[in-house]
Amino acid sequence: MVDYHAANQAYQYGPNSGGGNGAGGGGSMGDYMAQEDDWDRDLLLDPAWEKQQRKTFTAWCNSHLRKAGTQIENIDEDFRDGLKLMLLLEVISGERLPKPERGKMRVHKINNVNKALDFIASKGVKLVSIGAEEIVDGNAKMTLGMIWTIILRFAIQDISVEETSAKEGLLLWCQRKTAPYKNVNVQNFHISWKDGLAFNALIHRHRPELIEYDKLRKDDPVTNLNNAFEVAEKYLDIPKMLDAEDIVNTARPDEKAIMTYVSSFYHAFSGAQKAETAANRICKVLAVNQENEHLMEDYERLASDLLEWIRRTIPWLEDRVPQKTIQEMQQKLEDFRDYRRVHKPPKVQKCQLEINFNTLQTKLRLSNRPAFMPSEGRMVSDINNGWQHLEQAEKGYEEWLLNEIRRLERLDHLAEKFRQKASIHEAWTDGKEAMLKQRDYETATLSDIKALIRKHEAFESDLAAHQDRVEQIAAIAQELNELDYYDSHNVNTRCQKICDQWDNLGSLTHSRREALEKTEKQLETIDQLHLEYAKRAAPFNNWMESAMEDLQDMFIVHTIEEIEGLISAHDQFKSTLPDADREREAILAIHKEAQRIAESNHIKLSGSNPYTTVTPQIINSKWEKVQQLVPKRDHALLEEQSKQQSNEHLRRQFASQANMVGPWIQTKMEEIGRISIEMNGTLEDQLSHLKQYERSIVDYKPSLDLLEQQHQLIQEALIFDNKHTNYTMEHIRVGWEQLLTTIARTINEVENQILTRDAKGISQEQMQEFRASFNHFDKDHGGALGPEEFKACLISLGYDVENDRQGDAEFNRIMSVVDPNHSGLVTFQAFIDFMSRETTDTDTADQVIASFKVLAGDKNFITAEELRRELPPDQAEYCIARMAPYQGPDAAPGALDYKSFSTALYGESDL
């Protein structure tokens, strides 16, 4: 016989054991056995107990053997050859035993049983007085003792609640689970189970839908026990190990049988408990991931919409195709103002997107997830670059619009001036070619020829006087061409016609003069007075035409100084009118003198002056026209002066408001910087103070709106400069947006600190200590610490980073965490994240993988059916949609890879 003697505490089953039929392994089981004072102390079992043990142990063995496709009928007969005993141990341990001997001889059977007993001993079990020969001989007591030893080692030993022994742990578990149920008081593993209510309470506690506990009666134990045993067998896969009558008809049911039965309930429900715990952990992790993905999707959507709007808007702002008329360009300017007032303000999402991005990254860090990386082209920097490009395009587009309007104003002015001068010149040249082509000198008398010569000299003088106008016309046409006037073709055609005609007049004039000079010797008499009249009348007439032209000339001014300059020039012109009137009287006197001489000498004049077409009537008519145009010019200049005074009022009004709003914005920016450094009180106090400060800023918005209204009036008046202020509306808008962005970012910083504090369990005192330490070493109040400042801060908080090899290594490790990009600066948020990671713990990928493994029943994969059974519907489908198929060698149909999914949740660095 092979004995397994115990040198110390041992599993014992047999006579003179002193410890009962129990098990003790590695300490806790030995303690347990020492407490079993009421267990059997010899091999004499109560017949009723033996019957209960046979039935219970047989059912327990079959519950495991059926996994291998076999079972036993007689517990002391079917284990005699050792084959099913070895198979039982392989099933319950999950390990391989040595290959059994298949011979039928007694020695083969003893060898097989010894292999089984050796395996039991290898698990730390000490066996006394149980040998292979007794088992092979069919010793019922020894066989039952051996099976009980196996049950203790593999079904009960690992049960421990609050560090109690196996038996006490199982008893404590039963007491806790049945505590809420009436008529149930579990104190032991015999009498407490006779009425069957304890069995029913265990099932109802875990599966209430299977038991109608309120309908059970304490005085009907058989019904209660049968109900519990049948439900357990049908729904919990726990075989029926006892009959109700066996328990009811025994004064004290067998403790081993009851413990074996109850341990099956423990294992059935402890697995569900682990699965529930694992499912809760996974649900928590998935909920965090779903919320983060929702935030990521919102960011991607908002970023895509904003970038798409910027992409569509910039080409419109970069379209610099000029229009032909000032009305069309003014409509473009109005469209741009409408874009600024209506379309752009709702798109100012840049600040909110950046805040959402920072909040999301904080949540990802707090939940131990990898940082969010937006899809290509949608980073916060991409949005800032796009917005900057948009604002640059805006600025360029506005400047181009205003320059184009000025250019078109200049073009309209030049075109009108060209038309006036061309019309005057064309009126003057009307009939001149026909006159120069006359051959009247061929039949004229000498006096007529002399008169014709004088007349031609007067014409040449007039022609020379018009040379300047022709040059002006050509110069204006050239400027219109250079400024890309839309009707340049007609202007050029008209100008070319005038120039060609002018050249032709010069040629005709020269030809006529040569013809007259041939007969000049025949001219003797000339009416000097007529000639003098003609010579003085022509320049005077030209002066009046120029004066009328100037008095009707259009003018464009932009400042009060320019209009006052025109008024001054006009006043100077009016001062010359008395001298001009005297010249007019002198010219008219010459004409009257010629008439007086002719009459006195009985000279018959042909009527008109032969040397000029400028008659006294023409001079008087033009002089009267000049007299009428002067007050009209006065009125136009005074009206423009009033307009420029109004514009000056608008400038001063805007400057007054801008000089108030601009410094206010600058002051608030400085105050926010000071507040962010000198934050006192709790984070909630700081947040409340900042939000109150934000409301005070928002309440200032009407002042900005008033400034916008004044700016609108200035734009409508086409005022392009303002010497009374250095602030433009664009500067004010940028400053206002920066102010709102800065206060929003500061508030977001505090909110992220609250998130960090709450998620990491940092106390208010710790947070204040961190803030005070950071601010103390942030000497320049820049919101970041250099390496030496940060090292001093760590030393003040108790970190050993002094200048030695170990301290330098620790400091370099910390710097790699707080400054992964090696920028040389440590921000307050990075500092808080580091301190929170140093003092708290979070879920890890390993924990999530372990939870999935529980749900999967220790498999390396999990199925969709298992996920749907263990998790809420939405989170189960979330996992199924994202888990890749499992590719391992043990893969089953529909297997999913939960390890790679958990790795993706946390990132490779955590595994």
Side-chain angles (χ1 to χ4, degrees):
M1 181 181 75
V2 179
D3 291 327
Y4 294 84
H5 296 284
N8 299 309
Q9 297 171 340
Y11 285 104
Q12 300 177 22
Y13 195 101
N16 305 316
S17 65
N21 301 340
S28 64
M29 191 56 86
D31 296 339
Y32 163 53
M33 290 304 302
Q35 298 169 10
E36 302 304 306
D37 295 332
D38 57 342
W39 287 21
D40 296 322
R41 301 184 185 276
D42 53 37
L43 292 177
L44 298 178
L45 282 174
D46 181 282
W49 287 4
E50 182 178 343
K51 178 183 178 182
Q52 291 174 16
Q53 285 187 20
R54 281 178 176 276
K55 188 175 294 184
T56 304
F57 291 178
T58 299
W60 184 86
C61 290
N62 284 335
S63 70
H64 294 288
L65 286 172
R66 69 185 180 184
K67 298 176 183 176
T70 187
Q71 63 179 15
I72 61 173
E73 299 294 337
N74 190 326
I75 197 166
D76 51 2
E77 290 292 331
D78 292 349
F79 286 137
R80 292 177 62 183
D81 61 2
L83 295 176
K84 289 188 177 180
L85 178 59
M86 294 179 70
L87 181 61
L88 174 65
L89 290 172
E90 286 187 345
V91 171
I92 62 177
S93 69
E95 300 180 27
R96 298 290 294 179
L97 271 68
K99 186 175 181 182
E101 299 180 15
R102 296 295 179 178
K104 303 294 185 179
M105 299 176 64
R106 177 180 175 81
V107 66
H108 297 140
K109 297 178 181 180
I110 290 175
N111 288 340
N112 287 339
V113 173
N114 274 330
K115 290 177 181 178
L117 296 178
D118 287 339
F119 178 78
I120 296 173
S122 72
K123 297 301 180 182
V125 178
K126 304 296 183 179
L127 296 172
V128 177
S129 300
I130 299 178
E133 288 83 351
E134 284 87 347
I135 304 302
V136 172
D137 291 340
N139 187 318
K141 302 295 187 292
M142 289 297 179
T143 302
L144 291 174
M146 179 189 65
I147 297 302
W148 175 242
T149 300
I150 294 172
I151 292 172
L152 284 174
R153 172 60 183 84
F154 293 102
I156 298 177
Q157 178 181 338
D158 292 335
I159 299 174
S160 177
V161 180
E162 296 184 355
E163 301 182 356
T164 60
S165 67
K167 178 181 178 182
E168 290 172 345
L170 182 59
L171 186 62
L172 180 57
W173 178 79
C174 294
Q175 289 170 342
R176 287 184 174 177
K177 295 299 181 180
T178 61
Y181 294 87
K182 64 182 181 179
N183 297 326
V184 177
N185 183 17
V186 177
Q187 297 298 325
N188 50 54
F189 286 109
H190 39 79
I191 301 301
S192 298
W193 302 85
K194 281 192 68 173
D195 60 10
L197 293 177
F199 283 109
N200 283 279
L202 278 181
I203 298 173
H204 185 270
R205 180 63 182 271
H206 294 92
R207 296 287 299 276
E209 77 279 6
L210 301 179
I211 298 288
E212 294 181 296
Y213 186 82
D214 292 337
K215 294 184 178 181
L216 301 177
R217 303 199 322 271
K218 188 174 180 64
D219 59 359
D220 191 4
V222 174
T223 301
N224 297 341
L225 289 166
N226 283 330
N227 181 65
F229 296 164
E230 290 169 2
V231 168
E233 186 171 38
K234 183 176 180 180
Y235 296 104
L236 304 179
D237 200 26
I238 299 175
K240 187 175 181 180
M241 299 183 182
L242 290 170
D243 291 326
E245 290 76 12
D246 294 338
I247 298 175
V248 174
N249 296 331
T250 305
R252 184 175 182 269
D254 180 64
E255 194 169 32
K256 302 181 189 66
I258 297 297
M259 279 187 68
T260 301
Y261 214 155
V262 171
S263 70
S264 297
F265 283 85
Y266 173 86
H267 288 295
F269 293 134
S270 64
Q273 215 166 12
K274 291 180 182 177
E276 181 181 351
T277 302
N280 288 339
R281 178 183 294 276
I282 291 172
C283 288
K284 177 184 175 183
V285 171
L286 294 179
V288 170
N289 218 57
Q290 287 173 308
E291 181 184 1
N292 290 341
E293 284 192 358
H294 178 69
L295 291 175
M296 293 176 192
E297 291 168 0
D298 284 349
Y299 175 89
E300 289 281 350
R301 176 177 52 78
L302 289 174
S304 296
D305 292 346
L306 181 57
L307 289 171
E308 174 60 20
W309 179 80
I310 292 174
R311 186 190 64 76
R312 287 186 281 101
T313 303
I314 287 178
W316 174 69
L317 293 172
E318 291 178 343
D319 179 15
R320 309 293 166 81
V321 178
Q323 302 299 312
K324 294 181 178 180
T325 66
I326 191 171
Q327 290 79 14
E328 291 173 313
M329 288 305 297
Q330 285 175 335
Q331 181 60 50
K332 273 185 170 289
L333 181 60
E334 185 59 34
D335 292 343
F336 178 73
R337 290 170 181 162
D338 189 62
Y339 153 81
R340 271 270 182 83
R341 292 191 304 264
V342 178
H343 300 292
K344 183 184 177 185
K347 297 296 182 183
V348 184
Q349 301 168 354
K350 176 168 64 68
C351 172
Q352 188 60 45
L353 268 173
E354 187 172 348
I355 289 172
N356 291 351
F357 181 85
N358 291 337
T359 300
L360 173 59
Q361 298 293 39
T362 298
K363 289 185 175 182
L364 289 172
R365 284 196 304 273
L366 297 180
S367 58
N368 209 20
R369 303 304 198 273
F372 168 53
M373 199 57 135
S375 56
E376 186 176 357
R378 295 185 176 88
M379 296 289 291
V380 172
S381 58
D382 296 319
I383 295 170
N384 288 336
N385 291 337
W387 192 263
Q388 185 178 8
H389 189 187
L390 176 74
E391 292 183 334
Q392 289 174 349
E394 278 184 12
K395 182 179 179 182
Y397 187 70
E398 186 176 31
E399 291 175 354
W400 174 76
L401 283 174
L402 296 176
N403 289 334
E404 275 299 304
I405 289 175
R406 293 190 189 102
R407 185 181 70 82
L408 290 174
E409 284 181 338
R410 173 69 176 162
L411 283 175
D412 285 353
H413 172 68
L414 288 174
E416 182 60 28
K417 195 167 188 178
F418 174 83
R419 286 189 288 271
Q420 286 184 358
K421 288 185 177 293
S423 297
I424 292 172
H425 176 76
E426 288 165 348
W428 178 82
T429 59
D430 184 38
K432 293 296 189 293
E433 290 185 0
M435 179 196 74
L436 292 171
K437 291 178 180 180
Q438 291 183 72
R439 303 180 67 84
D440 50 349
Y441 55 83
E442 293 179 351
T443 57
T445 62
L446 182 60
S447 61
D448 291 335
I449 292 302
K450 289 184 179 290
L452 288 176
I453 290 175
R454 301 297 181 270
K455 180 179 179 181
H456 191 70
E457 289 174 349
F459 172 76
E460 286 182 328
S461 176
D462 201 4
L463 186 68
H466 275 273
Q467 175 70 32
D468 182 61
R469 179 175 287 110
V470 174
E471 291 175 354
Q472 289 178 11
I473 290 171
I476 292 172
Q478 179 63 29
E479 188 172 359
L480 287 172
N481 282 318
E482 292 172 355
L483 293 177
D484 195 21
Y485 182 53
Y486 76 95
D487 199 22
S488 294
H489 174 71
N490 290 331
V491 169
N492 292 336
T493 300
R494 190 172 183 181
C495 180
Q496 188 62 46
K497 182 178 179 182
I498 288 172
C499 291
D500 292 344
Q501 186 184 39
W502 182 255
D503 292 338
N504 191 38
L505 284 176
S507 176
L508 291 173
T509 300
H510 180 72
S511 299
R512 182 169 178 80
R513 183 174 184 80
E514 287 181 345
L516 291 173
E517 284 177 350
K518 287 182 182 180
T519 57
E520 186 178 9
K521 293 180 180 180
Q522 302 172 7
L523 301 177
E524 296 177 354
T525 311
I526 187 169
D527 189 348
Q528 293 297 328
L529 289 175
H530 279 186
L531 181 58
E532 184 180 357
Y533 172 87
K535 288 183 178 181
R536 295 184 66 175
F540 185 69
N541 181 63
N542 192 59
W543 174 86
M544 287 191 296
E545 287 179 348
S546 295
M548 287 188 293
E549 185 178 344
D550 290 341
L551 289 171
Q552 296 177 88
D553 188 19
M554 295 173 62
F555 55 84
I556 297 175
V557 295
H558 298 288
T559 65
I560 190 68
E561 291 79 12
E562 290 178 353
I563 189 59
E564 287 176 351
L566 290 178
I567 290 174
S568 176
H570 183 62
D571 290 340
Q572 290 179 359
F573 167 76
K574 289 194 293 185
S575 66
T576 65
L577 290 178
D579 290 338
D581 190 38
R582 285 190 288 274
E583 176 66 9
R584 181 183 65 84
E585 292 293 342
I587 292 172
L588 294 177
I590 293 173
H591 177 73
K592 291 178 180 178
E593 178 66 14
Q595 285 187 331
R596 186 190 66 77
I597 293 173
E599 291 175 357
S600 62
N601 293 285
H602 307 288
I603 298 173
K604 187 178 181 180
L605 298 176
S606 58
S608 59
N609 190 325
Y611 305 118
T612 182
T613 59
V614 181
T615 65
Q617 292 77 14
I618 290 175
I619 290 176
N620 286 331
S621 174
K622 290 184 178 180
W623 177 255
E624 184 178 351
K625 180 67 173 176
V626 169
Q627 294 293 96
Q628 292 173 353
L629 289 175
V630 168
K632 290 183 180 180
R633 184 71 167 185
D634 287 336
H635 177 72
L637 291 172
L638 291 175
E639 195 175 60
E640 183 63 27
Q641 185 183 39
S642 175
K643 175 184 174 183
Q644 290 303 323
Q645 288 172 344
S646 174
N647 288 354
E648 183 68 10
H649 172 71
L650 291 176
R651 287 189 183 96
R652 292 180 182 276
Q653 178 178 266
F654 175 82
S656 175
Q657 183 72 4
N659 290 336
M660 179 177 63
V661 172
W664 183 88
I665 291 175
Q666 182 62 35
T667 300
K668 292 301 177 184
M669 287 290 290
E670 294 171 356
E671 290 177 359
I672 292 172
R674 189 166 60 254
I675 288 173
S676 64
I677 293 173
E678 301 174 355
M679 287 183 172
N680 298 314
T682 67
L683 290 176
E684 285 73 9
D685 292 339
Q686 295 170 19
L687 184 62
S688 175
H689 179 59
L690 284 170
K691 287 188 175 180
Q692 183 179 2
Y693 197 79
E694 183 183 39
R695 286 193 293 274
S696 70
I697 291 174
V698 174
D699 290 342
Y700 196 73
K701 183 64 164 54
S703 298
L704 198 73
D705 294 338
L706 175 61
L707 195 63
E708 286 282 7
Q709 294 171 6
Q710 294 170 350
H711 180 65
Q712 178 69 16
L713 294 175
I714 281 181
Q715 287 192 317
E716 290 174 354
L718 295 178
I719 299 172
F720 304 113
D721 52 15
N722 193 340
K723 67 181 180 180
H724 304 297
T725 181
N726 293 325
Y727 293 101
T728 67
M729 196 63 232
E730 188 62 32
H731 292 154
I732 297 293
R733 290 192 192 107
V734 170
W736 178 255
E737 289 179 5
Q738 289 178 344
L739 180 60
L740 293 178
T741 300
T742 302
I743 186 64
R745 283 176 177 165
T746 306
I747 289 173
N748 182 243
E749 270 187 28
V750 177
E751 289 174 338
N752 284 342
Q753 291 174 29
I754 292 174
L755 279 174
T756 301
R757 181 199 66 191
D758 294 343
K760 301 297 185 179
I762 300 174
S763 67
Q764 183 64 40
E765 291 73 16
Q766 284 179 305
M767 186 63 76
Q768 289 177 341
E769 180 185 359
F770 295 157
R771 168 57 81 178
S773 298
F774 189 89
N775 286 345
H776 176 76
F777 293 99
D778 185 14
K779 303 298 184 183
D780 60 355
H781 306 301
L785 301 180
E788 292 304 317
E789 295 172 328
F790 181 55
K791 177 181 284 189
C793 182
L794 289 175
I795 293 173
S796 73
L797 292 172
Y799 281 80
D800 185 11
V801 290
E802 295 291 351
N803 292 324
D804 55 33
R805 180 176 298 178
Q806 184 176 354
D808 289 342
E810 175 63 9
F811 180 68
N812 291 333
R813 180 192 72 81
I814 296 174
M815 280 299 294
S816 69
V817 174
V818 298
D819 185 21
N821 296 325
H822 306 292
S823 65
L825 293 175
V826 180
T827 65
F828 182 66
Q829 186 62 48
F831 174 66
I832 288 296
D833 288 343
F834 167 73
M835 296 305 298
S836 65
R837 283 196 297 272
E838 290 287 299
T839 56
T840 59
D841 189 19
T842 58
D843 288 334
T844 65
D846 287 336
Q847 291 173 326
V848 175
I849 290 173
S851 298
F852 273 117
K853 191 168 186 178
V854 171
L855 298 187
D858 283 340
K859 299 192 300 295
N860 290 323
F861 59 86
I862 195 167
T863 65
E865 180 182 356
E866 288 170 329
L867 287 170
R868 293 189 176 104
R869 183 177 67 241
E870 301 293 347
L871 299 180
D874 61 332
Q875 294 188 333
E877 298 305 325
Y878 176 84
C879 291
I880 293 168
R882 286 163 174 77
M883 282 186 183
Y886 177 69
Q887 303 294 338
D890 56 339
L896 300 173
D897 188 351
Y898 60 77
K899 290 185 179 179
S900 62
F901 174 71
S902 301
T903 300
L905 289 180
Y906 287 89
E908 294 290 347
S909 61
D910 286 322
L911 292 181

